[in-house]
Amino acid sequence: MMKKLPFLFLLFILVIFFGKSLFPGDKMFDFHDVSQPARVAEFTYDLMHSQIPPRVAPHLSFGLGYPVLNFYAPFSYWVTSIIHMSGFDIADSIKLSFLFALLLSFISMNLFLKSFFKPHPSLFGAFLYASSPYVAVEIFARGNIGEVWFLALLPLALYLIYKNAQLSSPYIFTVTALVTSFTLTVHNVLSLLFLPLVIMYILALQKPKRNFFALFCGVMLAGYFLIPALVESNLTNASKIAEITQYQDHFLCWWQIWTTNAWGYGASNPGCLKDGISFMVGKVQIVTGIVGLLVLLYHLSKRSKLKFSALFTVFAITLIVSTFLTTYSSSTIWEVLKFMTVFQFPWRFLIFTVFGLAFFSAYLFTTIKPKFLQILIPLFLSFIIIFQSKYFYKPPMTKIQFNKLYLSESGLREHIAYRVAEYLPKTGDYTFWKSIEFSPAMSAAVVEQTKKFIYVLDKGSYRTIKSDSFYKEALVNSSEFVINVHYLPFWRIKINNIEYIPNQFDQLARPVVKLNGTDSKTVDLYFEQTPIEKAANLVTVIGMIVTVAYSFIIKKNHSHKD
């Protein structure tokens, strides 16, 4: 128990440190990603209506069924929605999700570092990791749940992969595959960047075949999201918007990683002096991390017998390359490697900078004599608590204000979808759709049209028989009408019980139906996952079976050896 006291003490400090920041009474703070609360609400709504996995947000964009959930990495929404379903409101669910992610980032980083270093340096590195000012930016400025959960899952996945290389355990293998799948489904961009890192990491460890199989199982378990996100995203404007994002406007100057013009909650702007947001990762983190990296390079240059030298080299490369790619110095690389435009913001790589600096900070303190550690570690921890805690705060608003801004019925229907505009189906007119938000007259007209799921274009009539979020039915006496849904293939249409595949769409990506005659006809609209989505779900199920089966094989081999 005595050995655990330093860990429990620092964990307690972090609970107070983060809890006080995230829960300033019955209030909530706002952030850049204004669609975040709506996505949690819609994800929860889908779960409660047995739409698993959630793929469409039925209440967004005038109730036309916005497909955002099909393309946004879902792990953080699983967590936050489960918290919400357990009885917490949306605001508290988001704050609890942030808190759990922050605490897990400390715990998992400590576990990971302890695989290579002594306990006290590992605790110090984990504390640096969880308390970086950039983490505060992710929460209080950007409000990015996915990126904060990536911070928590990255060291946990690496820790389990290391354990899986050391131990032939059915439990370790299963959890490794599962957590790897979580890491692959927590953030669209960072999960993608995780893959080359984890491949290099596995190659630097023992028993790479076992871990590559765990990674393969993890990819299969993540298939329900990865396959539709990759294959069906071309049905939306996502790739087009990613290509036109001016990543050149979001490079950093080197000094911005060290300090900031002014701490704020604004936007990332062109140049180094106009940013309304900070990108500093922490002075203690930088000083101890760089010195630790230099000590490692010195040890490697002396060709000393350094345990884990290949592994440490992987993390040194990750730290140097990721930091370099955030800066203007790397602009030529971005211009040559055109595929990198999908990352949109070069400063996304700072998460790997924070990770690398924490790792080499622990390495540095492992090389220092214990008597000096007793002085240095408390000194640095005190500095962090005193000087960096101020960044983990944002003036809050009342929950009433928060709900009105981000969760009101009118906000969900008429505004929130524009914040994730890239997922409008390609069959619509993106420019026209975007213009509606700023035109009260046009918005009012669309609201009027979308009150029912059929909008008649001639002098015909209709009568709604049933209308819920995932199934609608109407009796229509018209030869030309619009079906009020942003059409993607997971919406099925039947006219007089015969499958109807639309080939004409209006500016809002709504199917325009033209038929001969005005005879009465029954029109059904219902949600059903596409063949690709069903196949992706099947891949995940097969991944579960393969993971469990292999775990039983490991267990059986163990029993035979015994």
Side-chain angles (χ1 to χ4, degrees), residues 310-548:
L311 191 65
F312 291 177
T313 301
V314 168
F315 293 129
I317 292 170
T318 300
L319 171 59
I320 294 168
V321 171
S322 60
T323 306
F324 177 71
L325 288 174
T326 67
T327 67
Y328 280 99
S329 304
S330 68
S331 58
T332 302
I333 294 175
W334 285 77
E335 289 169 12
V336 172
L337 303 177
K338 297 293 184 183
F339 70 88
M340 289 181 65
T341 57
V342 73
F343 303 145
Q344 295 182 303
F345 306 108
W347 40 256
R348 284 192 195 278
F349 285 88
L350 283 178
I351 279 186
F352 296 98
T353 300
V354 172
F355 174 84
L357 290 174
F359 184 87
F360 288 108
S361 295
Y363 179 80
L364 169 65
F365 279 76
T366 298
T367 65
I368 296 174
K369 293 181 179 180
K371 62 180 180 180
F372 292 114
L373 287 181
Q374 293 174 6
I375 300 171
L376 290 175
I377 288 182
L379 183 67
F380 281 125
L381 289 177
S382 299
F383 181 89
I384 292 168
I385 293 168
I386 293 169
F387 292 101
Q388 290 185 187
S389 61
K390 62 184 178 183
Y391 302 125
F392 285 81
Y393 174 77
K394 187 173 187 181
M397 63 177 72
T398 66
K399 284 186 181 178
I400 294 174
Q401 291 173 306
F402 180 84
N403 292 338
K404 184 177 180 180
L405 283 171
Y406 306 121
L407 290 167
S408 66
E409 184 178 350
S410 60
L412 290 174
R413 287 180 60 85
E414 300 167 32
H415 300 291
I416 296 298
Y418 295 110
R419 306 286 78 80
V420 279
E422 62 268 32
Y423 298 114
L424 179 76
K426 271 186 179 178
T427 50
D429 184 332
Y430 178 82
T431 303
F432 172 79
W433 180 73
K434 285 282 287 181
S435 70
I436 294 173
E437 183 183 16
F438 305 104
S439 172
M442 291 170 63
S443 182
V446 174
V447 169
E448 188 62 32
Q449 290 179 19
T450 55
K451 284 182 177 178
K452 304 290 184 180
F453 95 92
I454 296 292
Y455 175 61
V456 175
L457 297 175
D458 56 16
K459 294 181 179 179
S461 62
Y462 67 92
R463 178 169 62 86
T464 300
I465 298 173
K466 185 171 183 178
S467 181
D468 63 33
S469 298
F470 303 103
Y471 177 75
K472 304 175 191 292
E473 182 181 352
L475 199 61
V476 182
N477 294 88
S478 170
S479 61
E480 188 173 354
F481 54 90
V482 169
I483 298 177
N484 277 317
V485 66
H486 285 316
Y487 183 80
L488 279 179
F490 48 51
W491 288 113
R492 302 282 299 276
I493 301 169
K494 286 188 177 181
I495 299 178
N496 286 339
N497 212 33
I498 298 174
E499 187 85 14
Y500 178 85
I501 299 175
N503 55 21
Q504 185 176 344
F505 304 89
D506 70 357
Q507 293 172 302
L508 299 180
R510 299 180 297 183
V512 178
V513 180
K514 294 182 179 180
L515 302 170
N516 294 324
T518 58
D519 296 341
S520 179
K521 53 193 73 67
T522 301
V523 178
D524 296 293
L525 172 73
Y526 58 96
F527 178 86
E528 183 179 290
Q529 297 190 61
T530 65
I532 288 171
E533 291 158 8
K534 290 177 180 178
N537 296 341
L538 182 60
V539 168
T540 293
V541 172
I542 293 172
M544 293 177 184
I545 295 170
V546 170
T547 302
V548 172

Side-chain angles (χ1 to χ4, degrees), residues 152-192:
L153 292 173
L154 173 62
L156 183 59
L158 297 179
Y159 165 74
L160 288 166
I161 288 169
Y162 176 78
K163 283 295 182 184
N164 192 49
Q166 302 297 311
L167 301 170
S168 180
S169 161
Y171 170 76
I172 293 294
F173 177 84
T174 302
V175 178
T176 301
L178 193 61
V179 172
T180 300
S181 76
F182 295 162
T183 313
L184 292 170
T185 58
V186 73
H187 191 272
N188 291 40
V189 173
L190 296 177
S191 294
L192 185 64

